[in-house]
Each structure stands twice: as C-alpha cells, then as structure tokens.
Amino acid sequence: MPILFNKAAREFHLYNGRISYIFCIAKNNQPQHLYYGKAIPHVESFSHMNILRSTVLSPVPFSDDMDFSLSTVLHEYPSYGTGDYRTPAFQIQAADGSRVSDFQYKSHKVFEGKNKLTGLPHTSCDVGQGTTLELILADEELSCELVLYYSIFEDLSVIARSARFTNKSSQDLKILSALSMSTDFDESDFDFITLDGAWCRERHITRTRLRKGIQSVGSSRGASSPDHNPACFLAATNTDEYSGDCYAFSLLYSGNYTAFAEVDSYDGTRIGLGINPFEFQWNLGKGKSFETPEAITAFSDRGLNDLSSNLHDLVRKHIIRGIWKERVRPVLFNNWEATYFDFDEEKLLMLAWQARSVGIELFVLDDGWFGRRNDDTTSLGDWYCNLDKLPQGLGELSAKIKSMGLLFGLWIEPEMISQESKLMNSHNDWAIGVPNRSRSFGRSQYVLDMSNQEVVDYLFHAIAKVIEDGDLDYIKWDMNRSITEAFGAALKPEDQMSFFHRYILGTYELYERLSAAFPNVLFESCAAGGGRFDLGMMYYAPQGWTSDDTDPAERLKIQYGSSLIYPLSCMGSHVSASPNHQTGRETSMDFRFHTAMFGLLGYELDITKLAGAEIEKIKEHVGLYKTYRPVLQFGDFYRLKSPFDNEGDTAWMTVARDKSAAVCANYKVLAKPNPSLKRLKLAGLNEDSFYRLVGTDRIYSAKELMSRGIALEIEFSGVVPPESEQIKCTAGKDYGDFTSYLYFLQEEKVRE
Ligand code: DGJ
C-alpha cells in the first residue's frame, strides 16, 4: 500500500519505492511536514524527524509550550494569522471581515486511483496506477471544510496535489487566495531553476542559488505566459543532468499563477504554487465548493535527466488523453511562414501537392482563411470561410487536399475578436473591457470574455461548424494577446475579482466540449508560439506550438529548456526558410532538420520555390524521421550538452522504450579555431548490451558509449583555403558554423 498511516503517531507516509513524502498531524491538529525525498523504509514512528527550530520572538499557540510555534514548524498547507509569517497557502475572509483560520484534522480516506477535478485539467490515475489520500480538515468557527488531496503514482516519482474548500456555514465566505500546493523544507542549500523568456525565446533555463526571501515567477496576463513557465525546480547545488537531488513543481493550469520559493530566517524553504493571488478572490457562497487547480511535484536523486524522464512519462501516460495519446503524430506542413496572409486556393493546392510529394501527411491552413482576413487587423470572431480567397469554400478545399492523401487541419483563434468583424457589430459587449473606459489593443485585436457562458456556447457552435464543414483532422488553437482592462460584463461587481480564473475555466470548457464532440481531431495549442505551453493545455491539446521562433540555433535553447518538463511528443517543431524569418540567420537544411526532428516535425516554408536538390533532401529527411518516429516522439529523452553552458553547442538523444535503438544529435553553433578533439558521453542505453553505429560496421559496448563516449566529427582546423580548394580540404570534417551530426544506434545481440 503506497500510503501508510501510523495511527498512534498520526503520521502519513506516501511511498512508492522511489520517493517518500511524510507528514504528521501536529499537536495543534494541523498537518505538519516531516520529509520529502528519496524513498526511506517505513517505521512505526517518524516523530524523531520532528525537530523544532528556534522560536525566539515567535508567537506560540499554546501558552504552556514555548517551543511549538507556527512561525518555524514545517507546514503542509499553511494558513494566515496564527504566527506563521511566511507566505500562506490560502486566506479566507469570514462575513465579519476577519481573515484568520484554523483548519484542523478531522479524518482521512485512502483510495486506489485518484480524484477528478471538475472543469479543470488533472492527471488521471486508474486503479493499480496510484493511490490517493484525502485529508479532511475543518475550521469549526468558519464551518468550512478543507480537503487536501495527495495522489502518489505507482511507477513514477510524482505526487499530484490539489485542495477543495466547502462552505458549510450559513454565512458567505471569501477566498482571498488558494494555492494548489505548498511544501516546506528545513534546508535551503538549493539552486532555484525556472524557465523564462519572452515571445520567440521561451523557456530558457535560469538557475541561481536560493537566497533569503522570496524568489518567484508568475503571470498576470491571463495566460501562463512566455515570460515564465508555471513551474519551478529545486536542485542541490551539485546536481547536474546525471546525479544529485532535485525536485520539480509544476501546475496544470494555464491562467494567472504564482510559483515561488521563500527562504526563511532559519534556512528553511517554502515552495508554493497556484493561482496568482493578485487579481483573485472567490466568493464561496453557502454550500458551495471551490477546487484549486492541480499541481504536481516530482523528485529524483539521479539528476535532472531522471527528473524529466518522470515528468515526460507523467505527461504521456497521465495527462494526455484521447486517441492521440499513444499514436505517432503526423508530419505536417503549415503555410504560415510560406505565405502569411497572401494565399489563394491555387497556391494552397500547389503547396499541398509538393508537401505530399515529399512524404508530409497533414496540411495545415494557418491564419487568414476566414471572414475578410487579409492581415491581422480584421475578422477574428467571424469563423466562416473567406470566399474571396477560397471561392469554392472550405469543404471543397478540404476535399481536394484529402484527395491527395493528406489530412487537413485549420488555424483558429477562438478567444479573440477584431474591431472590424461581424461579431463585433453584433456583440460589442463580448469583448473584454471596463464600461466607459477605452480598451487597449494587442495585435490589433481584443479578447473575448470567456467568463461569459453565452460566449463559450457561441464559440462551441461556431467552431463545431467549421470542423464539420472542413472535415478537419487537426486544429491549431492560437491565442495571440494578453488580457487588459479585465472585467466580466456578465459578472456581478462582487465577482469581478474571480474574472481571470473564470476566463480560463471558460476556455477549458470550450476545449473540453470540442474535443469530446470531435474525439478524432488532433488539437495543437498555441499562444503567439509558446505563450501558454503548460501542463493544463496538454490535458486538452496533446501537442503545442513550442515557439514562433523557428531558427534552429535558437530552437536548441527553447527545446532544451522545454524538455525539462515536456516530452518531445508535445513539442511542435518546424523546418522553415533560410535566412530565418525571426533572426535572419542562414543555416543548412540539415541543421534545420536535425533540430526540428527532436520534436513533432513540420515544414513551414514555401516548398514550391525550393530547388530540386532541396526537395530531394526534404524527402530524405521526412523518410528518415518516419523510420525513427516512434523513438523520436515516444522514446526516453536525455540531455547531454546544454546550450546554456556551451555557447549554444548542444547534444541530446532519445532511446527507444525497449532500448533497442537510439538517435543522438550533436550540434555546433559557432566554429572555433584550432579546436580540440571531442567525445560525447551517451546515456540511457541498455548497460549490458552492445550497439552498432548505423551506417558503419563499428560496434560499441553500451558501457563504453556511456563512459568513454563516442568520438565526434573532427572539426576543421587551419587556414581557410581559397574557395576552390575548400571542398578537398574540409571533406569529412566538421566545417564552419551551424553544423550538426546524427548518430543512430542499433542494439546488437548481447555478446557472451
Ligand atoms: C501566432 C502563431 O504562433 C503563428 O504560428 C501563426 O499561427 C500566427 N499567430 C498567425 O496569426
């Protein structure tokens, strides 16, 4: 049983052979944290772990015990107002305006599987895959119940957490803040890792030493944002990809959030994750409940690669749903960077025909197919075909593309409305804004009020019709601007502070209804690239557009950072034109493909204008990708060399689940003069096996590949000869900037 209860000591031990998470019910009847880390054997009592820290100048709840203070004990879900001055997990206001609470243990239940959250994304866990503890607490004075959920997965070092408040009183309560999880550590000798960036450079890794006070990331944009991913990590300062203790904390939530680490005066660390308390309040009427979004936490004592591997499995097995969960994803063509808004049916059909000829499987028509949309200033909300561009209609275009043997998909941006649109003429009040104040523009558009049920219902019918008319196999769901002038026209004044949360609940409802109505459609989430790339979205959309930046050298950082949490099967990754449209950088087709293939491969350039040799190259690449697709999309991923530590140079690999094959890539960004010889140590292979380097007759033991490493291509060294001599001089050598090499390994029969 992975959740053990020491009755006498009132201790809970969540255990699965990999991790232990231990807390007790303290003398004040509140849950008190004891330990979270590598699995340790169960014993009858863990009370020896309960060492109280200094209480000098600390208030105490019991006048006869000066050693027990809520200022210094480790909490599970800390409250405000009774002596703990660190950031609380929640705060409730009673009808009389008081804001102090005392939730005490009442009972608990342990059951196989896990709780489902209503209207919110959550991990799934069938009977046999994990166990849940439901810890029931109550504040008698408030007549409010608080249930803390902890689910431990059987085969992953992961725990899912959430909280539910129920008002059982005859007065209205107000939730002023409610995090999804909080965990206290009695140490702070950690690095704090977050994934930060901006549009076109999302999820770069930031790693700094923890210091006293609060270090946090968050969003108040209405989406989880490209600025910071809704997650954070703690890593022992010596932790690298292969060894060391590390913890991940991540939210299944796509709206405003906070994720913080707070180091206190006695070198303890509090981690908190949940809805951003800024711009949040929830009125909890009599008899009503409020559920927080779910958060997950993972631990590894074997470094960041192992931590990520647990998270990738969690996403693949317990977050992604539906028919695409385990199905290899199609290689797609997207016309955005090929045509932008400037296309007609003939152009699209030419692109589709060329796409089909190189082996691409899905044709995606991006922005510009609807209303009167010829640039980004009009038509959002008018979800019907632009007959000026596509006179035969969507159904006809879809039929023609499908007759070529391709799947067909469309771009939509349901949550938005343009000033110049039919929808605005009929429903001006649906655009978010404060009455009598001007609205800010963002990409020349406004955001629809997804907190309004009428809007969600309208969008469901409008988008369902598009899916039916176009016989769609795929949808790219974009969201290109952040919310300003937040206000829900259909909400009462006293509910306005719940607007942002209601917005994302409305968006989730629309996703849920559409994906339930069209279970075969593959959804890809997008928010101006990777601006809402989070575990919440992955519950609805099995894949996400990782970034609008398709420059391969930039993508190394973006995909490397993203891989800390997200598996390759979630990362849309396209080969685009050279020079690149975001950076102007020129790179070879090989370098672009070698980067994009570590993700969900797509092409996004005008393939009707490429030379024959380039088309042949793409054909070869797509074929290669298809051969290794299960390994690339669903294999175990290992980061080998970080672009953040090596001036952009990167290496990574994926290994088939049964370890029979592996694909490894090494990327050099800038050429160095007079370089030294280099080897690359591989990871994740079957220790006792031998592997053949495909394309050669060389066979290596896995131990050698992982300990000594594989010799990398010899880099060019010397004086660059005149152009006519270059080929001879550099043949067989790694020459110039932006080069990359692939190494395919095939397991050989084990030698005696
Ligand atoms: C932003 C997306 O990230 C792009 O890929 C593209 O779909 C544009 N929007 C279209 O407007």
Side-chain angles (χ1 to χ4, degrees), residues 290-422:
F290 176 79
E291 276 179 306
T292 69
E294 191 169 295
I296 57 95
T297 173
F299 167 81
S300 174
D301 62 326
R302 286 180 280 157
L304 292 165
N305 265 327
D306 185 59
L307 190 70
S308 297
S309 161
N310 275 279
L311 295 171
H312 295 175
D313 278 348
L314 180 83
V315 177
R316 289 187 296 225
K317 291 186 193 161
H318 301 284
I319 294 183
I320 289 172
R321 305 172 295 163
I323 64 155
W324 289 99
K325 181 174 173 164
E326 282 165 17
R327 204 182 267 188
V328 290
R329 309 289 165 69
V331 179
L332 68 80
F333 176 85
N334 180 305
N335 73 310
W336 180 241
E337 288 197 20
T339 64
Y340 295 101
F341 293 103
D342 185 17
F343 58 82
D344 55 19
E345 188 183 284
E346 194 188 347
K347 178 73 189 174
L348 296 178
L349 293 176
M350 273 160 59
L351 288 166
W353 183 86
Q354 188 67 289
R356 183 68 197 124
S357 79
V358 295
I360 287 171
E361 298 153 318
L362 161 67
F363 184 86
V364 179
L365 172 52
D366 209 278
D367 197 351
W369 59 267
F370 54 92
R372 298 176 44 188
R373 181 113 163 146
N374 295 316
D375 58 32
D376 65 9
T377 60
T378 76
S379 303
L380 292 165
D382 297 348
W383 300 113
Y384 51 84
C385 187
N386 179 338
L387 293 175
D388 291 338
K389 279 181 180 173
L390 308 169
Q392 318 255 16
L394 214 50
E396 196 57 28
L397 174 70
S398 168
K400 286 181 184 158
I401 286 178
K402 289 191 176 202
S403 72
M404 296 180 196
L406 286 160
L407 300 169
F408 179 60
L410 271 191
W411 176 98
I412 53 169
E413 195 178 5
E415 299 153 72
M416 298 293 151
I417 181 167
S418 302
Q419 178 64 45
E420 199 187 317
S421 64
K422 290 195 170 168

Side-chain angles (χ1 to χ4, degrees), residues 82-99:
T82 51
D84 182 9
Y85 296 108
R86 292 161 288 179
T87 308
F90 69 98
Q91 194 182 12
I92 293 191
Q93 188 170 40
D96 66 3
S98 63
R99 295 154 328 273

Side-chain angles (χ1 to χ4, degrees), residues 371-486:
R372 298 176 44 188
R373 181 113 163 146
N374 295 316
D375 58 32
D376 65 9
T377 60
T378 76
S379 303
L380 292 165
D382 297 348
W383 300 113
Y384 51 84
C385 187
N386 179 338
L387 293 175
D388 291 338
K389 279 181 180 173
L390 308 169
Q392 318 255 16
L394 214 50
E396 196 57 28
L397 174 70
S398 168
K400 286 181 184 158
I401 286 178
K402 289 191 176 202
S403 72
M404 296 180 196
L406 286 160
L407 300 169
F408 179 60
L410 271 191
W411 176 98
I412 53 169
E413 195 178 5
E415 299 153 72
M416 298 293 151
I417 181 167
S418 302
Q419 178 64 45
E420 199 187 317
S421 64
K422 290 195 170 168
L423 188 63
M424 188 63 104
N425 293 340
S426 54
H427 283 294
N428 183 355
D429 55 322
W430 282 1
I432 294 173
V434 179
N436 305 321
R437 287 189 185 275
S438 63
R439 296 178 182 125
S440 306
F441 262 128
R443 206 199 188 206
S444 310
Q445 65 199 48
Y446 300 116
V447 188
L448 280 172
D449 181 358
M450 299 297 285
S451 76
N452 181 346
Q453 188 65 45
E454 268 185 43
V455 174
V456 175
D457 291 343
Y458 165 81
L459 287 172
F460 172 74
H461 294 296
I463 305 299
K465 182 158 186 330
V466 171
I467 297 176
E468 279 159 3
D469 288 353
D471 190 15
L472 301 187
D473 302 297
Y474 163 103
I475 290 250
K476 176 177 172 189
W477 181 318
D478 207 344
M479 194 265 186
N480 278 303
R481 65 155 289 186
S482 308
I483 295 173
T484 53
E485 292 87 26

Side-chain angles (χ1 to χ4, degrees), residues 699-711:
I699 293 177
Y700 301 88
S701 72
K703 288 197 174 106
E704 179 185 329
L705 291 171
M706 295 196 287
S707 301
R708 182 173 184 272
I710 196 163

Side-chain angles (χ1 to χ4, degrees), residues 612-659:
E614 282 193 297
I615 288 293
E616 283 313 306
K617 192 73 144 171
I618 294 180
K619 206 182 274 180
E620 185 193 308
H621 287 161
V622 172
L624 188 67
Y625 183 78
K626 286 181 181 169
T627 308
Y628 287 93
R629 176 158 46 183
V631 188
L632 288 163
Q633 293 187 353
F634 294 105
D636 291 322
F637 182 74
Y638 295 89
R639 293 174 297 268
L640 305 177
K641 194 196 294 174
S642 168
F644 300 101
D645 300 334
N646 296 284
E647 298 172 333
D649 290 358
T650 305
W652 52 38
M653 68 188 286
T654 57
V655 182
R657 307 311 299 266
D658 64 2
K659 297 190 184 292

